[in-house]
Amino acid sequence: MTTAAAEEAEAAGGVNVDQLMQTVVAIRATPSLARFTFRARNRWIDGGGGGPAVREVYEVVGGGAAGPAPGDGPAALVGEARGANPVEFVLKALAGCLTTSLVYHAAAQGIRIDEVESHLEGDLDLQGFFGLSDDVRNGYENLRVTFRVKADAPEEKIRELCDLAQRRSPVLDMIANPVPVSVSVEKA
């Protein structure tokens, strides 16, 4: 692509519009290309929550891709793998909040947690995001969370803590239940 063509293609706020439109055309022709699974792995180290106490790894599989692609969005969204994208941040928030809830409630009950790892997956169909189908939601269709917990407690107690973490997690509550949202805009 020539410099002038590249500048024209990216004239809309740094987005390669030609590539984005090619993606929309490809999804219209083959709707299965719009299906993605976003994955996050989390490992709790210590303390209560995010920051350096949590390590995240993201990957995205879908859109006809043969394997994982880290962060910043799949190629279908003209991503450049510069970091987590907004839907991956949802997985991060959910992992961090469930982990913190589990660890805090365990500590309150005198249970020592040695390790917590979580694996999260969310399925998303870009047909909703691109407005190609009103029958497809814009966000995740479903989320799956799997914990691996090493603690000085029997498995039954760890399951109880996991259930308690789900009942007390603010982020899970926000995801699972409708939240009124107001959006306004101001011209700068």
Side-chain angles (χ1 to χ4, degrees):
M1 182 180 298
T2 68
T3 303
E7 287 174 8
E8 184 177 324
E10 295 186 9
V15 174
N16 185 324
V17 177
D18 290 339
Q19 184 179 354
L20 190 59
M21 296 316 295
Q22 289 171 10
T23 297
V24 170
V25 168
I27 289 172
R28 276 193 182 123
T30 311
S32 63
L33 291 176
R35 301 206 46 79
F36 286 82
T37 299
F38 290 83
R39 296 182 179 138
R41 289 180 300 173
N42 228 18
R43 184 172 59 88
W44 172 77
I45 298 169
D46 63 17
V54 179
R55 178 179 56 91
E56 304 89 18
V57 176
Y58 302 102
E59 59 185 30
V60 182
V61 178
D72 165 301
L77 292 178
V78 197
E80 296 180 16
R82 293 181 290 198
N85 69 30
V87 297
E88 290 166 319
F89 280 120
V90 170
L91 295 180
K92 174 185 178 170
L94 182 58
C97 192
L98 284 170
T99 299
T100 300
S101 296
L102 189 148
V103 169
Y104 278 11
H105 287 285
Q109 295 179 32
I111 298 169
R112 190 185 82 243
I113 301 288
D114 295 316
E115 294 177 19
V116 178
E117 289 185 12
S118 58
H119 299 264
L120 293 83
E121 291 186 340
D123 300 319
L124 195 141
D125 187 327
L126 293 177
Q127 291 180 88
F129 174 75
F130 284 129
L132 299 176
S133 173
D134 290 335
D135 296 328
V136 175
R137 67 179 294 157
N138 299 328
Y140 283 121
E141 295 172 344
N142 60 69
L143 295 172
R144 295 171 299 283
V145 180
T146 303
F147 277 107
R148 186 183 152 280
V149 180
K150 181 178 177 185
D152 66 350
E155 186 172 340
E156 176 182 304
K157 188 61 181 173
I158 293 171
R159 287 187 191 285
E160 288 175 19
L161 286 169
C162 187
D163 289 342
L164 183 58
Q166 291 172 73
R167 289 194 314 271
R168 297 295 174 233
S169 166
V171 173
L172 180 59
D173 178 70
M174 287 184 279
I175 291 171
N177 300 296
V179 176
V181 177
S182 299
V183 178
S184 62
V185 64
E186 296 177 1
K187 183 172 171 131

